[in-house]
Amino acid sequence: MAIVVLKLPDVKRKREDRPKKCPYCGGETFQRWGRVNKPVKDSRYRTVRVYRYCCCRCKRTFRHYPPGISVADQTERMKKLAELCWVLGLSYRHTEQILCAFGVQMSFMSVWRDVQSGARQVVRRNHWRPVRVLGLDGAYVLGWGEKRPVLVAVDMGNGVPVALGYVDEYSPQAVQHFLEPLVQRLGVSVIVTDDLMSYRQVAERMALGHQVCQFHVRRWVNKAIRELHKTLPEEWHGVLEEVRQLIDELPPEGHKRLYALWKQLGTGLERKRGSLRPVDQLRDLLIRLSQQWGSYITFYGEPEIPWTNNATERAIGRMKMRARTVRGYKNWSGMHNGLLLSGIACN
């Protein structure tokens, strides 16, 4: 069983060292200019000692705060604790009550600001961090009184979401518009997605490597095989078993074998009463798999490319779990920050 350790930022009551340089001019010579006892909201301290210094170069004064202390009344420890309580499922008001149990009087709006600030820090930290393999998947989250489509982009190296978009994943134009700035900024060269046609079209237009999640492929292929097994003549059941074996083993030359099987069934799709015959449905399945085989085995080329999109699915799962306890997001900014933070916090 995995053990998760949540480490909160450390807070010191006073600072022993002197500042290294002036925040205004970069000077390195200072004169101590008094001290103050600053009231803080913390589970351990009620006040901390803060020294003031005067720069000998520009003559301006500034405060030198202890670790975990800033100009805000809350300590960094309490900010992070409020953020974690919200991510783990508590409402803003319930988080306020939890902090009161620690002797910290904090309003629910302060908790809301801590959540928003935490999400902004994540965005700044990940803004220019290179991501070569990016997972993409869509989700629907309650907001504005109805389900809203959200597209989630996840770094497949560490499973951390890097971007969210108010995007319909079934629209190639919308997906491409969302993906283009990420490719330029992060250096994305491979995307990992499910088997939607919109992702395939975008990967081709943008000349990106494309790995289709094998969980999705095997699910729909096995379902198609089960349906065909009920309607096809027994003479073709061996072809179905061979297709199942090819999907399970994923040989590099599997597309050639699929194409050969397609040719054995004859050419031309004959319709019967507006629908395909079972044998024609089998031919359609074979040619589709043969044409798309390259996107099923992209992971063979480089070990850093996963063969499933599980990292993105896990991030979306965390977002959905947190969204169930929110009374619907009221605006895109709140939805973006809330979902992004809840998708990251458990990593």
Side-chain angles (χ1 to χ4, degrees):
M1 181 178 65
I3 299 177
V4 179
V5 179
L6 301 178
K7 182 174 176 59
L8 297 175
D10 194 16
V11 176
K12 300 293 184 182
R13 192 165 191 175
K14 64 178 181 178
R15 192 150 195 165
E16 304 293 341
D17 61 333
R18 295 172 65 88
K20 302 298 182 182
K21 63 179 181 178
C22 173
Y24 302 108
C25 69
E28 299 179 353
T29 306
F30 312 97
Q31 181 181 2
R32 184 174 288 180
W33 210 252
R35 72 182 186 190
V36 295
N37 290 325
K38 174 181 170 61
V40 294
K41 295 181 179 181
D42 187 70
S43 59
R44 183 176 299 178
Y45 306 122
R46 294 296 173 262
T47 62
V48 295
R49 183 175 298 176
V50 180
Y51 290 104
R52 292 183 62 83
Y53 290 89
C54 178
C55 176
C56 296
R57 178 192 291 181
C58 66
K59 305 302 180 183
R60 300 181 70 174
T61 60
F62 59 90
R63 290 188 175 190
H64 192 46
Y65 292 103
I69 304 296
S70 65
V71 66
D73 292 337
Q74 289 176 257
T75 62
E76 296 301 319
R77 175 162 51 205
M78 288 299 99
K79 290 180 181 179
K80 182 59 68 174
L81 181 58
E83 183 183 312
L84 287 174
C85 287
W86 185 86
V87 167
L88 293 176
L90 295 177
S91 67
Y92 294 122
R93 293 188 183 275
H94 287 160
T95 301
E96 174 189 357
Q97 296 171 7
I98 290 292
L99 296 178
C100 286
F102 285 92
V104 180
Q105 299 296 323
M106 188 184 304
S107 70
F108 73 94
M109 282 305 298
S110 295
V111 178
W112 181 86
R113 285 190 290 268
D114 291 339
V115 171
Q116 302 300 307
S117 175
R120 288 192 293 269
Q121 290 177 13
V122 169
V123 171
R124 288 194 297 268
R125 185 169 63 245
N126 295 333
H127 188 75
W128 292 107
R129 184 171 53 83
V131 177
R132 184 172 177 276
V133 183
L134 191 72
L136 293 174
D137 203 359
Y140 284 86
V141 180
L142 182 63
W144 299 271
E146 61 182 16
K147 290 292 184 85
R148 299 278 175 162
V150 176
L151 186 60
V152 182
V154 173
D155 181 354
M156 300 305 285
N158 54 20
V160 172
V162 296
L164 300 175
Y166 182 27
V167 176
D168 181 5
E169 65 174 338
Y170 293 93
S171 169
Q173 293 77 15
V175 173
Q176 184 173 351
H177 182 72
F178 169 78
L179 190 57
E180 282 177 341
L182 295 178
V183 172
Q184 295 174 4
R185 188 177 77 239
L186 305 178
V188 177
S189 59
V190 180
I191 59 173
V192 183
T193 71
D194 57 27
D195 208 22
L196 277 182
M197 183 59 67
S198 56
Y199 294 127
R200 190 178 307 278
Q201 293 175 357
V202 170
E204 292 176 356
R205 293 175 186 175
M206 301 180 64
L208 295 173
H210 187 203
Q211 171 64 48
V212 176
C213 175
Q214 282 303 298
F215 174 79
H216 292 83
V217 173
R218 296 184 182 195
R219 183 171 59 184
W220 75 259
V221 170
N222 287 330
K223 180 180 178 181
I225 289 176
R226 286 194 300 269
E227 294 297 326
L228 288 172
H229 201 277
K230 300 175 184 178
T231 57
L232 272 175
E234 290 188 6
E235 59 184 298
W236 300 114
H237 287 183
V239 175
L240 293 178
E241 292 304 318
E242 186 169 358
V243 172
R244 191 194 304 274
Q245 184 177 0
L246 289 171
I247 290 296
D248 288 340
E249 297 178 358
L250 292 177
E253 303 296 326
H255 64 288
K256 296 182 178 180
R257 180 55 185 162
L258 289 167
Y259 182 73
L261 291 172
W262 176 79
K263 291 183 68 176
Q264 288 180 12
L265 295 180
T267 59
L269 296 178
E270 300 179 9
R271 294 184 177 275
K272 181 180 180 181
R273 293 183 182 179
S275 62
L276 293 176
R277 298 178 305 168
V279 66
D280 296 325
Q281 295 176 17
L282 176 58
R283 294 187 67 254
D284 194 26
L285 174 65
L286 291 171
I287 195 61
R288 176 181 176 182
L289 293 176
S290 177
Q291 292 174 345
Q292 300 177 1
W293 192 258
S295 62
Y296 300 157
I297 59 172
T298 305
F299 69 96
Y300 281 151
E302 300 179 42
E304 62 190 83
I305 301 175
W307 76 323
T308 70
N309 205 14
N310 288 348
T312 308
E313 297 283 355
R314 287 194 296 268
I316 291 176
R318 292 192 292 268
M319 294 177 185
K320 287 184 175 180
M321 288 179 62
R322 186 61 189 93
R324 292 193 187 103
T325 61
V326 178
R327 293 183 180 178
Y329 292 99
K330 305 301 187 295
N331 54 57
W332 170 245
S333 176
M335 176 184 285
H336 176 274
N337 291 339
L339 294 178
L340 184 64
L341 193 61
S342 59
I344 291 174
C346 295
N347 283 278

